[in-house]
Amino acid sequence: QVQLVESGGGLVQAGGSLRLACAASGSTFSITAAGWYRQAPGKQRELVADISSDSTTYVDSVKGRCTISRDTAKNTVYLQLDSLKPEDTAVYYCNALLEGWGLTWGQGTQVTVSS
């Protein structure tokens, strides 16, 4: 069974930073593309950023404050969040396309930003 394991969430003050990680645990299937999503209480899940072999995209609300990257050797995708705002508070989920396996979701990691 392939699992995506997210880590790096936590409680941070406004203006702080966090780096989230999404690792394909126990997988020999390479991450070819991935996206980070978030879902705040009472709101729909939204795409924050995604990465493929040759491009990255970001939702407007995080542009300039967020960087998605990947380490192919570690089969891990990262989301660097800077200048965090209370409205960034949400559960952050990783969704990755694993070559030879398909799309898989992680279990989510909580990010809470205090004002």
Side-chain angles (χ1 to χ4, degrees):
Q1 182 70 24
V2 175
Q3 289 185 321
L4 292 179
V5 179
E6 295 124 330
S7 60
L11 173 64
V12 65
Q13 288 187 332
S17 298
L18 287 172
R19 189 176 80 152
L20 309 183
C22 170
S25 176
S27 173
T28 59
F29 302 107
S30 298
I31 295 176
T32 58
W36 281 97
Y37 293 74
R38 66 185 179 186
Q39 188 166 19
K43 294 188 177 181
Q44 289 188 332
R45 190 172 296 189
E46 67 169 347
L47 176 65
V48 177
D50 61 19
I51 184 167
S52 64
S53 60
D54 58 358
S55 68
T56 58
T57 62
Y58 300 91
V59 69
D60 285 346
S61 60
V62 302
K63 282 182 180 177
R65 303 187 296 118
C66 175
T67 304
I68 189 169
S69 62
R70 56 199 245 172
D71 184 330
T72 55
K74 295 182 179 180
N75 211 19
T76 300
V77 176
Y78 300 97
L79 187 71
Q80 177 70 38
L81 299 167
D82 299 314
S83 302
L84 281 161
K85 304 175 181 180
E87 51 263 43
D88 294 317
T89 295
V91 178
Y92 284 70
Y93 299 90
C94 176
N95 179 250
L97 176 62
L98 301 174
E99 186 176 13
W101 180 263
L103 282 171
T104 303
W105 285 94
Q107 81 287 353
T109 185
Q110 176 72 47
V111 171
T112 303
V113 184
S114 64
S115 57

